[in-house]
Amino acid sequence: MHTMTFHYPAADAAARAAHVGVVASGDLEILLQPPAGEEPGDRATVRVRTSVDGFDTVWRAALDRFFGHTALAGRWELNDFGATPAVVTLRLRQAAEAAIA
């Protein structure tokens, strides 16, 4: 498993925890926790665990694009099993919507 960690500034914080997707072939699971305790409420911390090596640049581009539009603070855990960038974007949007709804 390859693990990457990213940090993004955030304007709003997740109101509640969210869980979307599954770890399965071509899919992605996202667990989102609101900031708690000592965690800053103005930053998104994103940890990506993936079974696929060599796509760091693609991950960064997808995450940069998402957090450039949806700056939601919290602890994001992404567990990937070969998801395409389109699936990644879909799951990120679903998690954000579930965390603020």
Side-chain angles (χ1 to χ4, degrees):
M1 291 299 277
H2 181 58
T3 302
M4 299 167 277
T5 303
F6 304 92
H7 301 282
Y8 294 94
D12 299 310
R16 64 186 54 82
H19 176 218
V20 298
V22 296
V23 182
S25 181
D27 210 342
L28 171 75
E29 173 188 56
I30 297 181
L31 305 166
L32 171 56
Q33 293 292 324
E38 299 294 317
E39 293 178 322
D42 62 349
R43 182 173 76 186
T45 300
V46 184
R47 183 170 66 177
V48 177
R49 286 183 282 201
T50 180
S51 61
V52 183
D53 290 332
F55 284 87
D56 297 32
T57 303
V58 176
W59 275 105
R60 179 170 295 283
L63 294 171
D64 286 354
R65 187 171 37 256
F66 176 77
F67 284 99
H69 296 286
T70 309
L72 191 61
R75 189 173 63 246
W76 297 73
E77 300 284 336
L78 283 64
N79 299 309
D80 173 53
F81 198 72
T84 65
V87 171
V88 171
T89 300
L90 170 70
R91 294 288 182 230
L92 288 167
R93 287 181 180 170
Q94 288 174 325
E97 184 176 309
I100 61 174

